[in-house]
Amino acid sequence: MWAWRCVNLLKLILSIILVVVSIVLIVIVLLQEGKSAGLTSTITGSSDTYWSKNKGRSVEGAVEKSTKFLALAFMVLAIVLSMGFLQ
């Protein structure tokens, strides 16, 4: 009986974390800038700017890294909850 309650509590906690990760992932994806600047710079012939070279250190770089991390967390949580490990 005790183990059954722990498993149900763990499923509940993981489900709540999955919902929170999903909402944060949606918000972060909507905050990202479009990638259409690459085509424009190709047509106009402009080269890489200082901003694009140091993208990994900028806020945009941090948003991209957090998007990758949250997407991975979402996939792992979805797989764990759907595979039936916690039954």
Side-chain angles (χ1 to χ4, degrees):
M1 184 95 153
W2 178 79
W4 181 72
R5 287 183 183 172
C6 282
V7 169
N8 281 341
L9 180 64
L10 185 59
K11 282 175 76 171
L12 177 67
I13 290 171
L14 288 178
S15 297
I16 291 171
I17 292 172
L18 181 66
V19 169
V20 170
V21 166
S22 301
I23 292 170
V24 172
L25 186 61
I26 290 169
V27 170
I28 286 182
V29 166
L30 290 175
L31 288 176
Q32 286 184 359
E33 293 181 11
K35 301 294 179 187
S36 62
L39 182 60
T40 305
S41 65
T42 304
I43 293 170
T44 60
S46 62
S47 61
D48 287 335
T49 62
Y50 177 77
W51 182 262
S52 66
K53 289 182 182 177
N54 292 318
K55 187 172 152 183
R57 298 180 191 166
S58 66
V59 174
E60 186 180 345
V63 169
E64 277 188 27
K65 288 177 186 176
S66 61
T67 303
K68 291 175 186 175
F69 172 75
L70 287 171
L72 180 66
F74 174 81
M75 287 187 287
V76 168
L77 285 170
I79 290 170
V80 167
L81 286 170
S82 68
M83 291 293 287
F85 293 125
L86 305 172
Q87 293 207 13

